[in-house]
Amino acid sequence: MRQSGRAGAAVLALFVGAAAAQGAAPPNLRDVADHELPPYTTREECFVLAQGDRIEYVFASTRPVRFGIHYRTGNADVAPVGRDAVGTDAGLFTAVLPQDYCLRWEAGAEGAELRYRLRAQRSAP
């Protein structure tokens, strides 16, 4: 693994450790380890979010991938988050509009192995 891959694995380990300390996994949690992305394929995880709801995410891949968060409106894809050629990322995305939001990873010519943890959180009433 390259240096960025090691850093990504460390970030992912910290996130997983913090979540484990909080107890049993809630139903809005998606935790995937060692998902194989063949060359030029994508992986998506989608959530229905209301305005103000959030998605906390962290991922690491063995090779750079294209990552984004998007939703559809009419015939268009709107991507409020987009990253090219990243091996790791973490963040907190807050929905501005009520939509079905999808996190997407796309492998390049060499494919990649992907690990991620996602948690959808409802906004406070």
Side-chain angles (χ1 to χ4, degrees), residues 10-64:
V11 168
L12 190 60
L14 287 173
F15 187 88
V16 170
Q22 295 174 2
N28 60 342
L29 182 69
R30 306 215 180 127
D31 192 359
V32 174
D34 304 325
H35 177 78
E36 188 67 32
L37 275 175
Y40 301 112
T41 61
T42 61
R43 168 78 176 200
E44 282 195 342
E45 291 279 359
C46 300
F47 296 91
V48 177
L49 300 179
Q51 183 177 359
D53 289 354
R54 302 179 303 173
I55 301 172
E56 185 176 9
Y57 65 91
V58 61
F59 74 88
S61 65
T62 55
R63 292 188 181 84

Side-chain angles (χ1 to χ4, degrees), residues 100-117:
D100 292 350
Y101 290 87
C102 296
L103 293 85
R104 179 188 304 161
W105 297 267
E106 182 180 341
E110 296 179 349
E113 191 173 294
L114 179 66
R115 290 188 225 170
Y116 59 87
R117 186 173 183 91

Side-chain angles (χ1 to χ4, degrees), residues 47-103:
F47 296 91
V48 177
L49 300 179
Q51 183 177 359
D53 289 354
R54 302 179 303 173
I55 301 172
E56 185 176 9
Y57 65 91
V58 61
F59 74 88
S61 65
T62 55
R63 292 188 181 84
V65 295
R66 179 179 291 164
F67 170 72
I69 300 175
H70 69 99
Y71 65 90
R72 287 196 67 72
T73 180
N75 291 330
D77 264 350
V78 178
V81 175
R83 314 250 191 283
D84 287 330
V86 294
T88 185
D89 197 13
L92 184 63
F93 171 78
T94 302
V96 177
L97 301 169
Q99 294 284 345
D100 292 350
Y101 290 87
C102 296
L103 293 85

